[in-house]
Amino acid sequence: MIEQFPKVNDTYSCSDIIKVEARMPITTSYPMFIAIYRQLESDAEGPENGRVSFAFNYESGSCGGVFVASSGIIKYKDNEFYSNKEYCVWLVQVPQAESIYFELESGEFEEDCDYITVSSVKELSTWFYSTATVISSENPIALVNGSVAIVTFFSDETEKGTGFRLYFRMEAHAFQEPTFSYQLFHQDIRTQNLFAYKAEPNQVAIVAFSAGTLLKAGIQVDITSFRPQVNESCSSDLLYIFEVNKTSSSTVRLTKTFTSADVDIEEPQIEAFDQPRRCIPLADSHFQACKSKNKCSDAPIGGSFRTNASPFYAIYSNVNVSGDLQGRGFAIRTRVR
């Protein structure tokens, strides 16, 4: 624990409603932290609005990452020069939001050549592509539908500028509770990387893979494990691969899709099933045993390819069924030449 509010030496009685003034900054030594609000049982009356709560903003200065908060600031090389051909990606989730508000607080970069974009994950699930909104000093505000957004920053190979501060918050509250939860990850690829995800029902996992710079030759991707679950309606878990095109609109577009029909299993194992292959409920016995969750050899058909651009996103969408598939999920190995 690095901070506690109220402080130990703060004076108050058991019936007091304590309002702690805003305190900043609090700096962490690690890229992850947890904020816990502990509400004690009490017979004392609460505030007039009946709410006892806390709120905070947090900032990160790295080239890419994950933000999950009601509001926050993406800060990248603020008041310092960035390099040429940088490509940073962030995933932003504002839980229970119907839409997210973005506003550029500061930034001095080459207009039309270096830019920030924001795009909607919700649109990806509907149209399988999402046309991003470019944020600049001339267009500093953007709204994104849904509770999860993709934010990118790109610089070309000419003039350099200074970084930026991009503020975000909930614009509108969702009308109903979501039927699934998001799991967000960011993977920084320098030479090679291995990522594995064990799936649970009613989850959507989004993984951003980025090398921090534009790679014209793309990224070598090998899906080393893919074990989807199938429900009674013959729908299966899905693994999507989306690429971000290097254009001023930075369109995020679907390039690969994997379903249970792409699972590479021995045909004799499925001859007993009098149904289409995509409807077969899979079990761990259909696959070769894994030495660990990161060392499986159950790659799907067509699971080795090279992306046309960098970065790219892997989205794993789970059907609402538990089943007996203990190794459910996927693993991806990426390599940069």
Side-chain angles (χ1 to χ4, degrees):
M1 185 173 65
I2 61 173
E3 285 288 355
Q4 173 182 326
F5 305 102
K7 298 292 188 180
V8 175
N9 58 356
D10 286 345
T11 57
Y12 54 90
S13 66
C14 293
S15 61
D16 286 342
I17 300 301
I18 307 165
K19 183 177 180 180
V20 177
E21 297 299 327
R23 303 184 187 182
M24 60 184 299
I26 301 171
T27 303
T28 65
S29 302
Y30 302 96
M32 300 179 67
F33 71 94
I34 299 175
I36 299 175
Y37 183 89
R38 182 185 180 193
Q39 185 171 345
L40 302 179
E41 295 183 3
S42 174
D43 295 330
E45 295 183 0
E48 293 182 0
N49 60 9
R51 296 181 62 187
V52 181
S53 62
F54 78 102
F56 65 92
N57 289 335
Y58 67 102
E59 304 177 2
S60 173
S62 60
C63 181
V66 173
F67 284 80
V68 181
S70 57
S71 63
I73 297 175
I74 300 175
K75 181 176 68 173
Y76 183 61
K77 295 188 176 180
D78 192 24
N79 297 322
E80 63 178 290
F81 288 102
Y82 53 77
S83 303
N84 289 333
K85 296 193 292 186
E86 291 196 28
Y87 214 149
C88 307
V89 294
W90 294 267
L91 294 173
V92 175
Q93 181 185 12
V94 178
Q96 299 180 328
E98 183 69 23
S99 57
I100 305 175
Y101 172 91
F102 287 91
E103 181 174 357
L104 182 66
E105 292 188 341
S106 65
E108 296 182 5
F109 36 85
E110 187 182 7
E111 298 289 344
D112 299 326
C113 296
D114 305 341
Y115 44 80
I116 302 169
T117 69
V118 293
S119 53
S120 169
V121 168
K122 185 177 181 179
E123 292 181 7
L124 296 181
S125 62
T126 305
W127 307 105
F128 300 115
Y129 69 90
S130 178
T131 302
T133 300
V134 176
I135 293 182
S136 64
S137 57
E138 296 181 355
N139 183 41
I141 295 175
L143 292 178
V144 171
N145 291 327
S147 62
V148 179
I150 297 171
V151 179
T152 69
F153 170 69
F154 169 77
S155 64
D156 68 0
E157 53 195 21
T158 57
E159 297 182 16
K160 298 179 183 179
T162 57
F164 61 88
R165 292 170 59 93
L166 182 66
Y167 170 73
F168 68 87
R169 61 168 171 79
M170 179 187 295
E171 171 67 12
H173 197 283
F175 297 105
Q176 57 186 10
E177 293 292 327
T179 57
F180 56 87
S181 63
Y182 282 107
Q183 309 293 315
L184 307 182
F185 308 90
H186 177 270
Q187 298 293 296
D188 188 8
I189 308 170
R190 295 303 176 185
T191 53
Q192 60 182 357
N193 179 75
L194 182 61
F195 175 85
Y197 168 72
K198 184 176 181 181
E200 299 291 342
N202 291 329
Q203 286 185 350
V204 175
I206 305 176
V207 191
F209 294 87
S210 173
T213 185
L214 181 64
L215 301 173
K216 294 183 179 180
I219 299 173
Q220 176 61 40
V221 179
D222 299 302
I223 302 176
T224 59
S225 178
F226 177 57
R227 298 190 177 191
Q229 189 57 270
V230 182
N231 64 15
E232 296 178 352
S233 302
C234 294
S235 297
S236 76
D237 295 350
L238 298 171
L239 176 60
Y240 300 109
I241 304 296
F242 290 88
E243 294 184 16
V244 180
N245 298 322
K246 190 185 78 66
T247 63
S248 59
S249 60
S250 283
T251 302
V252 182
R253 190 174 297 275
L254 179 68
T255 58
K256 293 280 185 178
T257 303
F258 298 94
T259 71
S260 60
D262 299 307
V263 172
D264 189 14
I265 57 179
E266 296 292 335
E267 294 297 331
Q269 293 179 302
I270 63 173
E271 286 181 348
F273 296 95
D274 186 20
Q275 54 185 319
R277 176 170 176 166
R278 66 181 180 85
C279 297
I280 298 170
L282 298 174
D284 290 291
S285 59
H286 289 115
F287 304 92
Q288 299 181 25
C290 294
K291 296 180 180 179
S292 70
K293 69 175 184 179
N294 292 334
K295 295 183 179 180
C296 296
S297 57
D298 45 348
I301 299 171
S304 182
F305 54 92
R306 177 170 287 277
T307 64
N308 294 319
S310 64
F312 74 94
Y313 301 88
I315 300 182
Y316 192 95
S317 180
N318 306 340
V319 294
N320 184 18
V321 62
S322 297
D324 300 324
L325 191 59
Q326 298 299 317
R328 181 180 184 180
F330 71 99
I332 290 181
R333 181 189 296 115
T334 55
R335 288 173 289 170
V336 176
R337 291 182 179 177

